Every structure is written in structure tokens, then in C-alpha cells.
């Protein structure tokens, strides 16, 4: 296997400096009795060696039977696999846990302190092992443990937008794709380390290729590199490559998924049509599913982007999305597979926001049981802040998935520090009916539901393009597992495992992360509901990175009168898609949360907000405040020089330099744009700019 040099991220397992703590850890973890058999147990052993080897300076002694002559030991296995567990923990309690749950309990067994780690299934042992090592890596005690953990979401998936063969990653800011599709099925060590990172935060699914399986209008363009495109991963000769990756992920309890092109029956099967109601198409999908499961028995299923941004779909045959998805679902059902059908469909409606609901809500109950409708958190497209999609809570008869974006397409693209955990908390806590039905409960605990996050890794040595962006993948996984975790806890865990437990470092990095999102909203949007004002030109690197409000009049309708979109019943009517009393609150300019005001309302520039400030003045103030905040975070990071290793400190410091300049650029472009339309000067004399 080719050796690559890359970071360990939060799995650094730095030596425990506190002597008393490390002695306590050694007492309990120097000896480990780990059961045999399942591939996951290989992952458990490997992680114990690496984790305890790093934290305690020596690898554990792995036994094949209970060690008798020791003070303390770990017993890791399924309830009835070993006596230290079956005699200490009620097997029914363990079997009663969620399939992916686990239990860690301190017990006494035949005179020894035994830390039991057990679970109903092997992959629970993987998650439990990472939990135990996380406790030690964050300096937590491991005596008197009584941990019982179960995931809130069934599916906790990463959607890669990697273009196989081409090697690029759409909206990726961390180098090229991690997966070397030319060399696969040959494996790389880095694939295992990626699986470790994902499993350590409870991720249990990965779709390995871009949902844009065929670059529309550039037929042949992406074939330039090697004559193959994303949709061709479903071709027989490429399935062994997918199977090889699946064999790595399997060891860490992660299922592999593929993004497929809806016209695959034509592109791969040579059929004349991909009409979902055509028997030959039905047969083709069934045959293809058979072939995939022959090679990958635990394959997760297919992710489909259809009738969206140039990707073909059932509309080509005047079929609806349920008919479109169901033919693939029927093919996967015998194998336990699932279709993740994306609801990111918009085109003809003048208000893009209303379309997904109008398209999918009427189809509630029409999708087969093994179809999950995958819905972006907001009605537009991963903007710094959006209202939550009206579809959540509107399709009780349909399995739902929430799609979040871990890569920062609209929040600074791997250059700006922008921590998205607070955004995701806001989405998951959003009460869909004002009566205690938060999104997290709409999604949680139901077969086939869950969360899919657009991936962030690439082959950069730091994996993420920005060291602080690693916190987004970490936080994403932790929130998928337990959306009740608070942002501060998740942030603290990541910092301690990534940078150590120096109090100043922990406090400062936490502050930088937790304050970065609101700053990003302010300089990218003005902070009161505007969005989608970015450059959308051909230059890929600037695309969605630079400001260009003039390009998108339909997203703000700024003119001499005012700004904002009337989405009330007088306007596009989007607000009526929410249930009462949410709809009523958003429909009133007085009651609508200020941070979303101009998304729901069109207001005069001089409209007075609750504190008497006008809309225009608030826009100016927020844009300037956003830049001030970035400068402050920049200085906070500089103050850590010497506390964090030079390599990472300099890496982040350089990006903060660019971050300040780019934030200023957004501010200056937006305030000039607002001034040109409003003709209203800034009360503080900053606009018009000199
Ligand atoms: O976010 C937008 C991006 C596209 C992406 C698309 C989608 C993969 O600009 O790059 O395509 O949405 O979610 O399908």
C-alpha cells in the first residue's frame, strides 16, 4: 500500500500528561479481552492498539480469555460471548438496545476491576471503543462508568460529491478526491483512516460519488481524463472497485452507497428508454441490483438526483417523482437496499422556495417504504442561514432524510473559518408545528430516516483544506448520533482531541468556532434574511465565493422602494406551506424573526425594526459588524501562536488573513449595492465608501 503523509485529525491520541489520570487509565486498560470473529472486531483491536498506544505510551495486552492476574481489564464483546460480560450485565438489557447501540459499564469480576463494553451487534463495539478512547483523549475519568448509547438517527451518511476518474470534487476545497478510482480495487491505508474518522463520530453510510453523475451539456467533457464518468461506477467492470471500498467501510460498520444516473438503463443497459413504467426498465434495475448485491451483500442503496440542474429524471417520461423512485426501490427491496431520492428540484416557479413542497408534498404516501426523500435543510441551497424547509413534518407517510452541507460552498469554501454546528442545531431544533415537533424528532428513530451530509474531505494532508473545517465533520457526526448534544460540548471534545487540553487554547478555539457562523451570515448577507448574492460565473474557484448581488435580482428584488421577497399570501405564498402557528409568525413583519425578515417580506429601506433602526441601517451595521468580528477572531487565533504547533497555526493564520480581506470585500460590495439602490447614507458615515 502506498504510504501517504496526512493528519490524524481528532484521532491523534496524544500521550496523557496528567500522571494520576494516565495511571488510572493504565490500571483499567493495559489488558483487554476482546472477542474474535467479526471484521468489526479487527477494527476494535486496531483502534485499541493505536489509541492506548498513543495515550498511554504502550499498546494493550490483547487476551483471548479473561486475564486472571490483573487488577483491571477491558472486556469487549457481545453479551453472550464472554463470561465477564454475561455474568456482569443483563444480556436482555443489551439485546434491548438499538442495533448500533452500546453499553460501557464498570463492574467487578472475580476480584478484578472490569470495564465491560458490549453491544447487541459488532458495530456497536466499534462505536463503543471510540467512545471509551474519546473519554481518555479528553481527560475524562473511566471509573464508575455506566454509559448506554443509542443513535437518534438510523442513517448518518456522508454524500461525496467526488467525480470519480476525473479526480475533482464538486464544491470540494480540500484538494482532489480521496478515492483513487484508477488504482481501485487496490486499497490505500488512507481509506481505512477515513473509515476510522467516520466511525469515530458514528457515521454509518457513505455515498462515494457525485450526485451529478453526468455533467449536463458537457457530454464528453468529463470523459477527457480517462474516458469514464460518475454514472459508470454502476458498470460491471467498475463494481469491483466499489466492492473494494465497501470492504474497508464494512469493518467500521459503514454501508456503501452509489449515486446513480436516472438514465442508467439507457447509458449502461443500452435500452431505448428509462421510463419507470416500462417493464424492460423495471427488469433492468432489478438485474443491476442483483449484480451489485452479489458483490456487496451489505450495499446501502442508491442516491438519485433526478430532474434537477440538468440531471435527467422521470419528468422526461411525464412520470412523477414517486413513480420515478419506486422502480429503483422495487429493485433494491429484496436486498434490503434503499433509494435516497433528492428533493432538490426547482426550475420554472418564479419563487424557487415554493417548488420542492409543491412537487413532493402531494406525493406523500406514494413512495415505496424503502425510499427516503432527501431534503435540503432550507428551501434555497445551503445558504449561511435559511428558514427550515417546509417539507419537514409535511409528509408523515414518507421516510425523510435531511441533507446538510459540511463543505462550506457558501460560507467561505475552506478559506474562511465557519463552524456549522450552530447552524445544524438551529435546523434540528426547529419546531415544525410550534407544538413540539422539532426536525430532529421528525427525522429521528424511524427506519430509513436520517441525515445526509455533503462531504468535506479531499486528499489534502489535513483532509479538509482548513484545519478548523475538521470540526464540521466531527460535529456533523456527533449531532447525527445525538442531536441533543449542545454545540459547546461537541466543540470542546473536538478541540481537546485535535489540539490538546491547554485551557487557553480550548477556550480560544471554542470561541473562534462558536462565533464564526454568525459573523459569516453578517458579511455574506447583512444578517436579516437576504441570501444568494454570490458570484456564479465560469471561474470555478470564484464560483459562489465572491460577492455579486447584481447577478440575482430575483433573490432580493432591491430597487428604489425597498428590498426583500414577499413570500406571504400576498406574494409567492411560500409562508403558507408552514403549519400554524409557524406560518402566522413568519407572515407578520412584526413577529417574523429579524434574522429571516427579508426572506419572507419585502420592506421599504426606511422600515423601522423593533428597536427603531431602519432596515437599511441594520444592513449597514451588520455588514460592518461581520467584518469587525472576523478581525477579532483573526486576532484571537494570532494570540495562540506558540500554544499550537507552528504548522497548523500558520496554516490557519494565513487563511484568517485572507478571510478578513474577503469579508471586507463582501461588506464593501453589499453596502455599496444597498446604497446604490436605497440612496440612503449610513448614519455612521461609513457608506457611501470613500
Ligand atoms: O448546491 C448546489 C451546488 C451544486 C450541487 C447542487 C446539488 C451537486 O451549487 O454544485 O450539485 O446544488 O445539491 O445538487
Amino acid at each position: 500500500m502506498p504510504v501517504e503523509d496526512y493528519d490524524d485529525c481528532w484521532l491523534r491520541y496524544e500521550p496523557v500528561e496528567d500522571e494520576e489520570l494516565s495511571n488510572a487509565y493504565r490500571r483499567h486498560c493495559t489488558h483487554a479481552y476482546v472477542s474474535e470473529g467479526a471484521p468489526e472486531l479487527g477494527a476494535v483491536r486496531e483502534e485499541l492498539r493505536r489509541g492506548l498506544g498513543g495515550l498511554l505510551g504502550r499498546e494493550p495486552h490483547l487476551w483471548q480469555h479473561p486475564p486472571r492476574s490483573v487488577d483491571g481489564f477491558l472486556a469487549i464483546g457481545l453479551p453472550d460471548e464472554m463470561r465477564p460480560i454475561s455474568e456482569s450485565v443483563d444480556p436482555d438489557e443489551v439485546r434491548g438496545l438499538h442495533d448500533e447501540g452500546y453499553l460501557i459499564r464498570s463492574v467487578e469480576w472475580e476480584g478484578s476491576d472490569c470495564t465491560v463494553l458490549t453491544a447487541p451487534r459488532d458495530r456497536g463495539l466499534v462505536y463503543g471503543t471510540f467512545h471509551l478512547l474519546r473519554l481518555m483523549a479528553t481527560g475524562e475519568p473511566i471509573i464508575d462508568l455506566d454509559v448506554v448509547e443509542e443513535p437518534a438517527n438510523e442513517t448518518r451518511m456522508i454524500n461525496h460529491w467526488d467525480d470519480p476518474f476525473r479526480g475533482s470534487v464538486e464544491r470540494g476545497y480540500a484538494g482532489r478526491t480521496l478515492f483513487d478510482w484508477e488504482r481501485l480495487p487496490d486499497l490505500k491505508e488512507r481509506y481505512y483512516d477515513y473509515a476510522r474518522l467516520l466511525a469515530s463520530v458514528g457515521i454509518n453510510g457513505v455515498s462515494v460519488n457525485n450526485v451529478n453523475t453526468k455533467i449536463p451539456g458537457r457530454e464528453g467533457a468529463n470523459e477527457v481524463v480517462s474516458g469514464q464518468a460518475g454514472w459508470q461506477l454502476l458498470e460491471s467492470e467498475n463494481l469491483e472497485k466499489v466492492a473494494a471500498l465497501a470492504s474497508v467501510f464494512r469493518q467500521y460498520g459503514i454501508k456503501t452507497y452509489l449515486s446513480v444516473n436516472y438514465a442508467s438503463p439507457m447509458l449502461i443497459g443500452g435500452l431505448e428508454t428509462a421510463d419507470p413504467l416500462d417493464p424492460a426498465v423495471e427488469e433492468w434495475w432489478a438485474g443491476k441490483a442483483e449484480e451489485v448485491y452479489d458483490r456487496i451483500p451489505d450495499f446501502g442503496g442508491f442516491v438519485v438526483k433526478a430532474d434537477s440542474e440538468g440531471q435527467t429524471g422521470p419528468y422526461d417520461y411525464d412520470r412523477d417523482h414517486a413513480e420515478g423512485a419506486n422502480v429503483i426501490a422495487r429493485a433494491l427491496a429484496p436486498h434490503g437496499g434503499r433509494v435516497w431520492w433528492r428533493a432538490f428540484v426547482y426550475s420554472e416557479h418564479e419563487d424557487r422556495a415554493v417548488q420542492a413542497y409543491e412537487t413532493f408534498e402531494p406525493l406523500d404516501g406514494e413512495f415505496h417504504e424503502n425510499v427516503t426523500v432527501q431534503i435540503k435543510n432550507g428551501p434555497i441551497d445551503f445558504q449561511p442561514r435559511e428558514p427550515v424547509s417546509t417539507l419537514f413534518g409535511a409528509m408523515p407517510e414518507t421516510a425523510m432524510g435531511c441533507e446538510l452541507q459540511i463543505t462550506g460552498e457558501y460560507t467561505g469554501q475552506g478559506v474562511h473559518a465557519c463552524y456549522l454546528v450552530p447552524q445544524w442545531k438551529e435546523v434540528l431544533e426547529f419546531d415544525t408545528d410550534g407544538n413540539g415537533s422539532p426536525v430532529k424528532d421528525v427525522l429521528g428513530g424511524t427506519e430509513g430516516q436520517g441525515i445526509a451530509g455533503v462531504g468535506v474531505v479531499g486528499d489534502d494532508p489535513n483532509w479538509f483544506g482548513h484545519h478548523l473545517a475538521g470540526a464540521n465533520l466531527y460535529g456533523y457526526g456527533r449531532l447525527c448520533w445525538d442531536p441533543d448534544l449542545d454545540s459547546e460540548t461537541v466543540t470542546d471534545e473536538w478541540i481537546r482531541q485535535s489540539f490538546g487540553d491547554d485551557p487557553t487554547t480550548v477556550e480560544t478555539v471554542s470561541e473562534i468556532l462558536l462565533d464564526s457562523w454568525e459573523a459569516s451570515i453578517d458579511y455574506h448577507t447583512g444578517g436579516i434574511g437576504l441570501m444568494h448574492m454570490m458570484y456564479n460565473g465560469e471561474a470555478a474557484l470564484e464560483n459562489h465565493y465572491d460577492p455579486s448581488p447584481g447577478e440575482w435580482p430575483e433573490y432580493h428584488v432591491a430597487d428604489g422602494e425597498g428590498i426583500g421577497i414577499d413570500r406571504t399570501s400576498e406574494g409567492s405564498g411560500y409562508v403558507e406551506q408552514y403549519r400554524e402557528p409557524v406560518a402566522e409568525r413568519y407572515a407578520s413583519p412584526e413577529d417574523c424573526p429579524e434574522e429571516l425578515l427579508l426572506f419572507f417580506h419585502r420592506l421599504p429601506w426606511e422600515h423601522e425594526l423593533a428597536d427603531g433602526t431602519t432596515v437599511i441601517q441594520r444592513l449597514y451595521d451588520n455588514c460592518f459588524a461581520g467584518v469587525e468580528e472576523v478581525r477579532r477572531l483573526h486576532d484571537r487565533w494570532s494570540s495562540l501562536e506558540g500554544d499550537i504547533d507552528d504548522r497548523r497555526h500558520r496554516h490557519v493564520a494565513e487563511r484568517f488573513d485572507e478571510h478578513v480581506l474577503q469579508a471586507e470585500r463582501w461588506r464593501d460590495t453589499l453596502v455599496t449595492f444597498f446604497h446604490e439602490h436605497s440612496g440612503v447614507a449610513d448614519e455612521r458615515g461609513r457608506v457611501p465608501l470613500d
Side-chain angles (χ1 to χ4, degrees):
M1 266 185 218
V3 178
E4 279 180 84
D5 176 22
Y6 48 84
D7 286 3
D8 295 324
C9 306
W10 54 86
L11 298 178
R12 298 163 64 87
Y13 299 130
E14 292 289 308
V16 176
E17 275 151 22
D18 178 312
E19 201 160 329
E20 199 187 326
L21 207 51
S22 64
N23 289 339
Y25 291 160
R26 282 202 185 92
R27 179 177 152 71
H28 288 85
C29 301
T30 298
H31 300 278
Y33 174 22
V34 182
S35 67
E36 291 286 339
E40 289 91 339
L41 275 300
V44 167
R45 291 165 182 281
E46 172 62 16
E47 207 57 34
L48 287 174
R49 281 195 206 96
R50 296 175 81 144
L52 298 173
L55 293 162
L56 305 180
R58 65 176 176 225
E59 296 193 0
H61 186 150
L62 298 178
W63 299 79
Q64 254 82 26
H65 49 70
R68 298 211 171 280
S69 59
V70 298
D71 300 344
F73 68 99
L74 293 172
I76 304 180
L78 304 186
D80 46 21
E81 276 180 339
M82 48 177 77
R83 290 180 44 227
I85 297 181
S86 58
E87 293 171 7
S88 312
V89 174
D90 172 4
D92 291 339
E93 179 192 5
V94 181
R95 278 191 278 273
L97 294 177
H98 179 285
D99 261 9
E100 297 180 309
Y102 57 87
L103 176 155
I104 310 175
R105 189 166 291 159
S106 305
V107 301
E108 186 157 325
W109 187 77
E110 298 196 353
S112 295
D113 284 338
C114 176
T115 304
V116 164
L117 195 170
T118 186
R121 295 268 184 292
D122 294 304
R123 62 182 176 271
L125 302 176
V126 175
Y127 300 137
T129 300
F130 279 114
H131 185 129
L132 184 65
L133 292 169
R134 179 170 62 237
L135 290 176
M136 289 188 256
T138 54
E140 297 295 323
I142 60 166
I143 51 173
D144 301 333
L145 287 176
D146 191 6
V147 173
V148 177
E149 279 279 340
E150 300 179 278
N153 287 291
E154 289 297 316
T155 299
R156 309 170 303 277
M157 189 188 329
I158 298 289
N159 283 177
H160 279 262
W161 283 359
D162 299 30
D163 301 315
F165 310 111
R166 197 157 172 238
S168 57
V169 179
E170 186 161 345
R171 312 303 179 187
Y173 313 107
R176 299 175 64 71
T177 178
L178 201 63
F179 308 126
D180 187 339
W181 291 98
E182 297 300 344
R183 278 227 176 86
L184 279 162
D186 293 353
L187 296 173
K188 296 201 294 190
E189 188 64 31
R190 195 163 192 184
Y191 302 157
Y192 291 89
D193 289 324
Y194 183 47
R196 292 175 54 237
L197 286 175
L198 298 180
S200 73
V201 289
I203 302 287
N204 67 352
V206 172
S207 62
V208 292
N209 60 321
N210 191 350
V211 289
N212 283 334
T213 53
K214 203 170 194 318
I215 307 295
R218 292 171 57 192
E219 260 64 21
N222 58 350
E223 273 88 353
V224 171
V225 175
S226 70
Q228 296 203 66
W231 57 270
Q232 292 178 275
L233 282 185
L234 202 51
E235 289 184 321
S236 306
E237 73 265 21
N238 287 324
L239 285 178
E240 65 168 342
K241 295 173 183 284
V242 182
L245 271 183
S247 71
V248 174
F249 288 131
R250 176 176 305 121
Q251 293 180 38
Y252 290 88
I254 302 169
K255 281 188 175 177
T256 300
Y257 297 75
L258 268 182
S259 297
V260 296
N261 188 286
Y262 198 72
S264 296
M266 303 164 74
L267 294 167
I268 299 172
L271 299 189
E272 294 298 307
T273 178
D275 180 351
L277 302 193
D278 184 304
V281 171
E282 176 100 29
E283 197 186 325
W284 185 83
W285 280 113
K288 181 49 77 175
E290 193 83 34
E291 183 191 359
V292 172
Y293 279 88
D294 280 351
R295 297 180 186 225
I296 312 171
D298 58 351
F299 184 68
F302 296 137
V303 178
V304 186
K305 175 177 180 175
D307 294 318
S308 170
E309 297 190 330
Q311 298 297 307
T312 180
Y315 282 178
D316 293 358
Y317 310 96
D318 295 329
R319 312 298 184 195
D320 65 37
H321 281 272
E323 291 163 324
N326 288 347
V327 65
I328 304 177
R330 286 190 294 276
L332 292 173
H335 312 283
R338 177 163 286 277
V339 178
W340 284 70
W341 189 268
R342 299 177 84 230
F344 184 61
V345 175
Y346 67 96
S347 51
E348 65 272 0
H349 200 292
E350 100 217 31
D351 180 5
R352 168 176 175 175
V354 304
Q355 193 156 356
Y357 182 99
E358 288 190 347
T359 303
F360 285 87
E361 191 273 339
L363 297 174
D364 185 32
E366 306 285 321
F367 292 94
H368 286 336
E369 183 284 321
N370 63 330
V371 175
T372 298
V373 173
Q374 179 170 323
I375 304 156
K376 289 193 177 187
N377 57 286
I380 302 295
D381 190 18
F382 300 137
Q383 296 300 295
R385 173 181 267 137
E386 294 189 37
V388 170
S389 167
T390 51
L391 277 170
F392 294 114
M395 299 176 72
E397 305 305 317
T398 305
M400 286 194 156
C402 176
E403 184 179 313
L404 302 173
Q405 193 175 49
I406 308 170
T407 186
E409 175 181 353
Y410 296 100
T411 55
Q413 304 195 351
V415 175
H416 302 192
C418 185
Y419 186 46
L420 296 169
V421 163
Q423 181 200 71
W424 302 329
K425 283 291 287 182
E426 185 170 284
V427 170
L428 295 169
E429 296 296 340
F430 173 74
D431 188 346
T432 58
D433 65 4
N435 199 11
S437 308
V439 171
K440 65 182 180 184
D441 294 351
V442 170
L443 295 172
T446 314
E447 184 58 33
Q449 300 212 135
I451 304 180
V454 178
V456 63
V457 300
D459 67 356
D460 263 12
N462 68 42
W463 299 76
F464 307 106
H466 191 306
H467 283 294
L468 298 184
N472 282 327
L473 178 57
Y474 183 88
Y476 168 80
R478 298 290 283 130
L479 283 186
C480 287
W481 182 277
D482 182 359
D484 294 331
L485 287 168
D486 59 52
S487 300
E488 291 70 22
T489 304
V490 172
T491 313
D492 187 79
E493 284 177 6
W494 179 76
I495 297 168
R496 289 176 186 282
Q497 294 174 91
S498 306
F499 293 104
D501 57 8
D502 165 64
T504 308
T505 301
V506 172
E507 190 211 321
T508 307
V509 177
S510 179
E511 184 191 323
I512 290 171
L513 289 173
L514 292 169
D515 293 346
S516 60
W517 176 49
E518 287 290 349
S520 175
I521 294 168
D522 279 345
Y523 64 78
H524 274 119
T525 74
I528 56 174
L530 295 174
M531 56 188 72
H532 211 278
M533 298 184 284
M534 69 292 162
Y535 167 78
N536 196 43
E538 280 307 303
L541 288 182
E542 284 81 26
N543 187 284
H544 295 181
Y545 182 68
D546 286 341
S548 182
E551 266 188 68
W552 308 97
E554 71 276 24
Y555 284 87
H556 49 69
V557 198
D559 64 15
E561 305 306 311
I563 188 164
I565 310 286
D566 179 0
R567 288 191 166 99
T568 68
S569 53
E570 311 303 306
S572 73
Y574 170 76
V575 81
E576 293 168 319
Q577 295 179 353
Y578 288 100
R579 289 180 287 164
E580 293 305 350
V582 178
E584 198 183 339
R585 185 158 52 86
Y586 283 152
S588 136
E590 287 69 41
D591 301 335
C592 180
E594 187 182 299
E595 64 266 20
L596 293 170
L597 189 60
L598 298 180
F599 181 85
F600 287 103
H601 299 277
R602 174 166 180 66
L603 297 169
W605 296 106
E606 305 280 9
H607 171 87
E608 283 197 10
L609 303 169
D611 67 355
T613 305
T614 62
V615 162
I616 182 64
Q617 190 55 46
R618 177 77 85 225
L619 289 169
Y620 289 151
D621 292 345
N622 286 348
C623 287
F624 276 87
V627 172
E628 284 321 303
E629 188 64 349
V630 175
R631 287 202 184 115
R632 187 180 69 79
L633 301 179
H634 169 283
D635 299 346
R636 297 293 283 140
W637 182 262
S638 306
S639 74
L640 290 173
E641 187 161 4
D643 297 333
I644 287 179
D645 57 273
D646 279 356
R647 184 176 63 82
R648 292 187 294 172
H649 187 269
R650 195 175 51 252
H651 167 103
V652 174
E654 284 164 1
R655 281 158 183 72
F656 257 122
D657 294 343
E658 161 66 14
H659 188 174
V660 170
L661 294 176
Q662 186 67 358
E664 288 170 349
R665 199 142 164 238
W666 271 89
R667 174 200 65 195
D668 294 352
T669 304
L670 291 185
V671 297
T672 301
F673 178 81
F674 298 146
H675 181 257
E676 277 166 3
H677 285 280
S678 68
V680 179
D682 169 28
E683 291 163 7
R684 302 180 220 292
R686 299 162 299 186
V687 185
L689 301 169
D690 304 336

